[in-house]
Amino acid sequence: MTFNGWLMYYGGVDIGSAYCKCIIIDEEGIVAKALYPVEGNPQVISQKVVKDALAPQKLKVKHVKKFVTTGRNRKKFPLKNEEMTEVTCIAKGTYNLLPSVRTIIDIGAITNKAIKINEKGKVMEYVINDKCASGSGMFLELVAKALEMEVQDLGRNAAQSRNPLSITNQCTIFAESEVIYLVNEGKSEVDIAAGVCNSIAGNLYSLLKRVRMEKDITLTGGVANNGQIRRNLEERLNFELKTFPFDPSYVAAYGAALFAKEMEKKV
């Protein structure tokens, strides 16, 4: 389909607390994507991430027929757009990519969410852990800093542990203090990392039980890239989680782009 001689493009922008993600789709599928840290300036960064996603395809903002924004900072997108909730967009993106999934755990920078959807992808129930950031992306970044590791290396290092340590505190502040204490006691960094990953998996499992989880189950959000957390959660579930064909950080943005396409077709 074309518009004024151009192919039709639709954009989804997920402006979270820590990262801004953009996905551009056409009638066939995903055309481009980009991700940047928000760095306290969602208005500027969200515009930059859109332009940088479009640039390799030699496209400009004017080529995108409609944008839908989602995420904590969705109202700060400076271009004309529609807004959708993050839960709805996560469900939309997940169902389109993994239609057998019935329960989703989204691990964000500050909050974790458990979402249950039906066989048509409609949200039936969800819970949000918004009272404490324990198990979130921000918590992992604090732990990685205390262990002098890159956050993307935390899971790989944890997988090397043969004696995971127990992290007993559920509060982010106290858990970080516990990690620092263990470091000062000379405990192995990989054993501490393994304990942290196992503790987060336990938190996620508890959240899943609150929505009466059903198979299939998947993880979305940046922390879903941590292989050790995934393995620890699978051990509790006794089955494998479903995986996405691309970085699960982009699932909400992808769902937003799908909504943009649907909205435009209804006009």
Side-chain angles (χ1 to χ4, degrees):
M1 186 180 294
T2 62
F3 173 71
N4 289 347
W6 299 322
L7 289 171
M8 294 281 275
Y9 297 102
Y10 314 91
V13 186
D14 175 15
I15 315 172
S17 302
Y19 289 91
C20 180
K21 290 81 67 178
C22 172
I23 277 192
I24 306 297
I25 64 172
D26 62 9
E27 299 299 326
E28 302 298 323
I30 296 172
V31 173
K33 62 182 186 293
L35 177 153
Y36 280 101
V38 170
E39 297 177 340
N41 199 340
Q43 294 95 335
V44 172
I45 295 300
S46 59
Q47 204 162 6
K48 174 179 173 56
V49 78
V50 168
K51 290 180 179 178
D52 284 10
L54 292 169
Q57 306 300 323
K58 297 183 178 179
L59 297 172
K60 297 186 182 297
V61 171
K62 67 181 181 179
H63 296 132
V64 181
K65 184 63 176 170
K66 182 177 285 294
F67 284 102
V68 166
T69 60
T70 191
R72 185 179 291 264
N73 287 306
R74 63 182 178 270
K75 294 185 181 298
K76 298 179 180 179
F77 189 59
L79 305 175
K80 185 178 179 182
N81 69 96
E82 301 286 344
E83 298 174 11
M84 298 290 292
T85 68
E86 194 174 2
V87 167
T88 306
C89 289
I90 290 167
K92 183 76 166 179
T94 299
Y95 180 71
N96 185 271
L97 294 164
L98 302 173
S100 69
V101 165
R102 294 294 171 266
T103 313
I104 307 159
I105 279 279
D106 179 72
I107 316 172
I110 296 177
T111 62
N112 296 334
K113 309 171 193 66
I115 307 165
K116 191 156 77 173
I117 60 177
N118 65 13
E119 68 280 357
K120 296 182 179 179
K122 181 181 178 181
V123 176
M124 303 303 294
E125 184 181 1
Y126 70 92
V127 293
I128 300 176
N129 176 25
D130 56 0
K131 294 183 179 179
C132 178
S134 181
S136 66
M138 182 180 73
F139 174 58
L140 271 188
E141 289 188 4
L142 291 172
V143 167
K145 183 178 179 181
L147 296 176
E148 297 183 348
M149 296 179 187
E150 296 295 328
V151 69
Q152 62 266 26
D153 296 332
L154 201 64
R156 186 175 68 251
N157 290 334
Q160 299 174 20
S161 172
R162 295 296 175 265
N163 184 32
L165 295 173
S166 176
I167 305 298
T168 58
N169 282 294
Q170 299 301 306
C171 170
T172 297
I173 295 173
F174 291 125
E176 182 190 7
S177 297
E178 186 176 0
V179 167
I180 293 171
Y181 171 79
L182 292 170
V183 170
N184 291 336
E185 286 291 297
K187 301 298 183 182
S188 164
E189 284 84 357
V190 297
D191 291 342
I192 298 171
V196 168
C197 290
N198 193 43
S199 176
I200 292 173
N203 291 344
L204 299 178
Y205 184 67
S206 297
L207 201 60
L208 280 169
K209 290 194 290 186
R210 289 173 59 188
V211 292
R212 299 186 298 276
M213 58 184 161
E214 297 178 13
K215 287 185 179 181
D216 286 336
I217 299 175
T218 194
L219 296 177
T220 65
V223 180
N225 289 312
N226 184 306
Q228 190 61 26
I229 292 175
R230 173 181 290 274
R231 285 187 289 273
N232 288 152
L233 184 56
E234 287 175 338
E235 288 171 4
R236 286 170 166 79
L237 294 169
N238 291 316
F239 57 81
E240 291 185 357
L241 297 163
K242 292 293 182 179
T243 59
F244 289 94
F246 58 75
D247 186 341
S249 301
Y250 287 96
V251 172
Y254 180 58
L258 292 172
F259 275 121
K261 184 168 77 169
E262 286 185 0
M263 289 175 184
E264 189 58 31
K265 290 190 176 225
K266 289 179 181 178
V267 174

